[in-house]
Amino acid sequence: MTTKISNRDRLFTLLGTIITQFALGSVYTWSLFNSQLADKLSVPVSRVAFSFGILSLSLAIASSLSGKLQERFGVRKVTICAGLLLGASLTLTAYASNLILLYVFAGLLVGFADGTGYLMTLSNCVKLFPERKGLVSACAIGAYGLGSLGFKYINMYFLTNSGLENTFSTWGLIAMVMVIIGGLMMKDAPKQEPQQTAAATPVRDYTLAEAVKSSQFWMLALVFLTVCMSGLYVIGVAKDIGESYVHLPMAIAASSVALIAVANLSGRLVLGVLSDSVSCIKVIAIALFICLAGVSALLFAEQSMFSFYFAVVCIAFSFGGTITVYPSLISDFFGLNNLTKNYGLIYLGFGLGSIIGSIVASVFGGFAATFYLMLGLLVISLLITLTIKLPGSQPTGLQGASRNDLPAQAAMV
């Protein structure tokens, strides 16, 4: 039986999730601190930058565990604790005196705090709006993306005027207060009734143990890993690709950072909203096709400023849209009630994707090796999205249905 929850509580939870996601997205301003931390610790920038790789992996692991924490303590308490840990970790980072402490404070602890709040609050909010999952995901994940932009100016101001240590402490305080305020506004989503496909067949709720036994789970995990690897790698080294691979002047290559930010946010909004009227698996197929076009431009088009900009915009748009739509996609395949756990395990692909591209480029000596790997995985992933069926479904299952074919949850008032 579904417990009723008022529209006021739903809207407050949505607003609280947006505030929390904005604060959590601030971790993507990390590159602002690399050079100053390197000078402070007297180490190469590359070693300092590795802390962000640790952060991304820790974030993904925490995301996979957050469902169990929510079950035991509730979304409000876990979010507040995540905010407290985030604030404390950033403050401790200000006083890290060596690389080991930096990796622990800025990598493991900040990543764990961020990941604990990120996926849990997103999934909880999506479950409160089953009739508008795509729009709600777009709002929440869009706020996460905007957080990196907003905190870029906040952190730059304090770096310029207050110094490194004070900036970390101020950043931690602001982010902590926002996450706590957001957490206080949240309510746990009630247990959901089974969704219905166009053929009026209930979409059953799979536990994590049941979901991992299906081939669909691992196929969707591969698709997610592919897009994350492609997006995170290109976004992380776009300026270097422009300079070293396409041979563009530094100023032109650096301009790709702004284009990537706009394309990333656009993908979240456009594909997120589109997924409320077109089935999620079709939206992911569209995203993969766009990403494939971008990677192909890097490999096969005559290299120029325009082909480079086209490529990074396509890849960033696809990445932003995919991570927005994926929670809804997993709920379509495995139900809403265990979304945090099921998506949490798949979300480990985000952490793995953040390092695989760099490892391949390092081992095989350049960008091209990673681009060819991306190309092959994208082709496989596109074929998966065009042929995959719901677990145990007939060919006439959800794949051909839009989410508007699914009845809204009547108990949500």
Side-chain angles (χ1 to χ4, degrees), residues 115-315:
T116 300
Y118 168 71
L119 184 57
M120 178 192 63
T121 58
L122 170 63
S123 300
N124 183 71
C125 196
V126 167
K127 286 189 280 188
L128 282 173
F129 294 86
E131 73 284 5
R132 287 291 180 267
K133 292 185 286 187
L135 178 60
V136 169
S137 293
C139 289
I141 300 180
Y144 192 82
L146 284 175
S148 65
L149 183 62
F151 271 87
K152 171 187 175 183
Y153 296 104
I154 294 172
N155 288 341
M156 278 297 298
Y157 173 83
F158 285 105
L159 272 174
T160 303
N161 296 283
S162 301
L164 184 64
E165 286 79 9
N166 286 335
T167 299
F168 273 115
S169 300
T170 305
W171 172 16
L173 178 62
I174 295 172
M176 179 183 69
V177 170
M178 290 184 70
V179 173
I180 290 174
I181 290 173
L184 290 171
M185 298 172 69
M186 295 178 195
K187 294 276 190 179
D188 283 284
K191 187 175 177 64
Q192 303 294 310
E193 297 289 352
Q195 302 173 67
Q196 301 285 323
T197 66
T201 303
V203 179
R204 60 168 290 206
D205 282 297
Y206 287 75
T207 65
L208 179 59
E210 292 171 333
V212 296
K213 294 177 182 178
S214 70
S215 60
Q216 288 90 340
F217 184 90
W218 298 108
M219 287 190 284
L220 292 177
L222 176 62
V223 173
F224 188 74
L225 171 66
T226 297
V227 176
C228 286
M229 185 194 76
S230 304
L232 290 170
Y233 179 71
V234 171
I235 290 171
V237 296
K239 176 177 172 290
D240 303 296
I241 293 172
E243 286 186 271
S244 304
Y245 184 78
V246 187
H247 306 298
L248 296 174
M250 182 184 68
I252 294 177
S255 297
S256 64
V257 175
L259 287 175
I260 285 171
V262 173
N264 193 345
L265 180 59
S266 298
R268 295 166 192 251
L269 297 176
V270 172
L271 296 185
V273 173
L274 180 63
S275 69
D276 279 329
S277 55
V278 178
S279 66
C280 288
I281 197 66
K282 288 183 179 178
V283 175
I284 297 300
I286 293 170
L288 288 167
F289 182 81
I290 293 171
C291 190
L292 185 61
V295 174
S296 297
L298 287 172
L299 284 171
F300 307 120
E302 182 179 349
Q303 296 303 315
S304 66
M305 178 184 72
F306 297 106
S307 66
F308 171 64
Y309 284 169
F310 172 81
V312 296
V313 164
C314 285
I315 294 168

Side-chain angles (χ1 to χ4, degrees), residues 18-41:
I18 290 172
I19 293 171
T20 297
Q21 293 283 333
F22 187 92
L24 295 177
S26 65
V27 298
Y28 285 91
T29 63
W30 184 253
S31 61
L32 297 176
F33 301 92
N34 284 335
S35 59
Q36 290 197 34
L37 283 169
D39 291 340
K40 175 186 174 181
L41 301 178

